[in-house]
Amino acid sequence: MNALIGNLSLAIAVLAAAGALFTSVAAAKFGNDKMLTLARWLHYVLGLAIVAGSWALLSALINSDFQNAYVASYTERALPMGYKVAAFWAGQEGSLMLWTLLLAGMAAVAAHGFRNRERTEQAAMLGVLALVCGFFAALMLFAANPFVQLPAQAVDGHGLNPLLQDPYMIAHPPLLFVGYAGYTIPWAMLLAALIAGRKDNQWIGATRSWLMVSWLFLTVGIILGAKWAYIELGWGGYWAWDPVENASLLPWLTGTALLHSVMVQQHRGMFKVWNAALISCTFLLCIFGTYLTRSGVVQSVHSFGESVIGTFFLVFLGVCVLLSIVVVVARRRLIKSEDTIAGMLTREGAFLALNVLLVLMTLATLVGTIFPLISGVVMPQPVTVGAEFYNKVVIPLALALIAVMSVGPLLSYGQGAGRQLIRGLIVPGIAAIVAVIAAMVFGMTNPWALACTAITAVAVCSVGVGLTRTVRQRRKIEDERWLTAAMCVIDANHRRYGGQFVHMGVVMLMVGVAGSSLFGTKHTFQLAPGASADFNGYTITFGELKQSRKVNYTSVEAHVTLTPPDAGPGDAGQKLHPEMRFYDKSEQPSAQVALNSSLKQDSYVTLAGWENDGQLVAIQVIINPLVAWIWVGGIVMSLGAVFCLMPKLIKATAVAHDPTKSPKHNPHAHAPGTIPLALAGEGQCASQTQTTSTELYAEASK
């Protein structure tokens, strides 16, 4: 029954997508609103069909329907329920189903949300979304069907890959797919706006929420993937510049650039070509990453096996590239800049620098990722680029990016921004000098570490200086306490201060990467029961080796005591239990890390092997300084993105200010109902009959 429902659902989805594409074109061609309404409803039908198919697959997984080839390949009877659900996206066919489910759901939401747009624009967007959804549905129906049946029901399944039996892998892939699917909507909106001939910037503002949500989910997905690699693969690292890891990083880089440049188009009418290119590239890189993952053209621990699915994605990628180029080139007159950059020491200049650096990082990562393909054409054997290439090329660009980002709170638009920046940099500059000197006094000599120290000091102080400056401006007019004024200023512009919160998260992440990369140490010890060894001031003592039986694997666990250098006489030390798991359905053992984590450092212990029934064991110990700041930084980045999306929390009071009646009279105060140029950071001096203080400082802090 599940197979029948699933195949029928996919067939309906393909027909609905084809119908939505046809009726969208007809609505735009003949100006028929009824056809437009039908196209919208067909998107709803498509979404419901994919929901039904997804439920059929999930039901088959949960109920261990081993006549289904996908279920038999990725589950077993003894598999815990959480991992049976996670098997939905563990394989090629199921992960495509999840992506299609998210994509169809978002397309239905977008179709409903933009139902009042101009006919041609709405029809073009519905048509583009139908094209993408139809491709995924057709791909599953004809090439990667998750409902293929075996000739006879298997007694048991092959089980889930041991590396995927980890809680982080339950959440990591779906979050990435939300980000991938989400970037489809801005791409469709871009093409729709250009096809409809829109000259205004309103449509780019409408994409911002989609861009932010997609970026948020992609960020969380990447961080969880790094955490999974850190605790599951047993090598002590979190990012190996693996091709599939890079595939998720590529759209993240261009998506990050896009979030910055859309603000310039909204407020200054600039960077239109940048935004059109970045929106297209971000979506196309999501498709390209999927091609890398599913084609088998590059070797990766994360990729699926070699498959013809990659060929279909490559053809679809070519169609999307061609469509993007044709529409953008044909409508290039609509994306001419309305203004010029006043200077590089302005906010728009900094955004341009950020975009250039992010694009250079994207190109470097892309070249390194596909270099085996490039070298394979001209050389007998493909050459794989190692981590050294990325560390020499991408890392310096990333540091330059964070350096530019660190002065962001001190920048403003237009003339005079340079002088304002120089004045604002006095305190952060002094703080950076003091921080570097202090680091050198404590023995830090590594130039990269000193550079990170200086950038961190500037970033933290810049946020404080920028916020203090804006709060002081508010208090010149409002009779408020510092805390009240600060809360009102922050609430008046969630985008700005949420973005600064994200930037602080990036700085924390940089601190974690620098500390763990530059100062991490490791050693492998061979110990008998009761024996000890010293390492970096720690004492490692091996107790015993124990074997136990679990639900679907056998565990061999080492009891290890790690005594820190500052332990007192009665301190028993840290009890750690690294283990090796032998899964029933896998021939390869899986190492489980024992981790003791603090903000200062991680003690990372793995069981590397043993002899004579545990009379001699190999214990690897890694000391990773500051690595916890990577995960803290990821949390802060995510919270900052959520804050950007939140509505204002403090209710604005509509009061027309009169300088003669103000509690704090200011001879330079603005006229009633007018936003002064000095405070209107976006260059928008908009006269209005009544101006709330919250609105005033929202403009001042942008």
Side-chain angles (χ1 to χ4, degrees), residues 398-457:
L399 279 178
L401 177 76
I402 297 173
V404 175
M405 179 200 74
S406 66
V407 300
L410 304 176
L411 292 168
S412 58
Y413 290 111
Q415 300 294 334
R419 292 190 298 273
Q420 192 176 19
L421 173 63
I422 293 172
R423 290 196 302 270
L425 272 176
I426 294 175
V427 174
I430 294 173
I433 294 171
V434 172
V436 169
I437 293 174
M440 294 176 69
V441 168
F442 282 100
M444 185 183 294
T445 57
N446 187 289
W448 292 112
L450 293 175
C452 290
T453 301
I455 292 171
T456 301

Side-chain angles (χ1 to χ4, degrees), residues 20 48 53 59 255 319 354 603 681 687 702:
L48 290 174
S59 176
V319 171
L354 286 172
S603 303
S687 296
K702 282 182 182 177

Side-chain angles (χ1 to χ4, degrees), residues 561-573:
T561 301
L562 195 66
T563 307
D566 56 354
D571 193 340

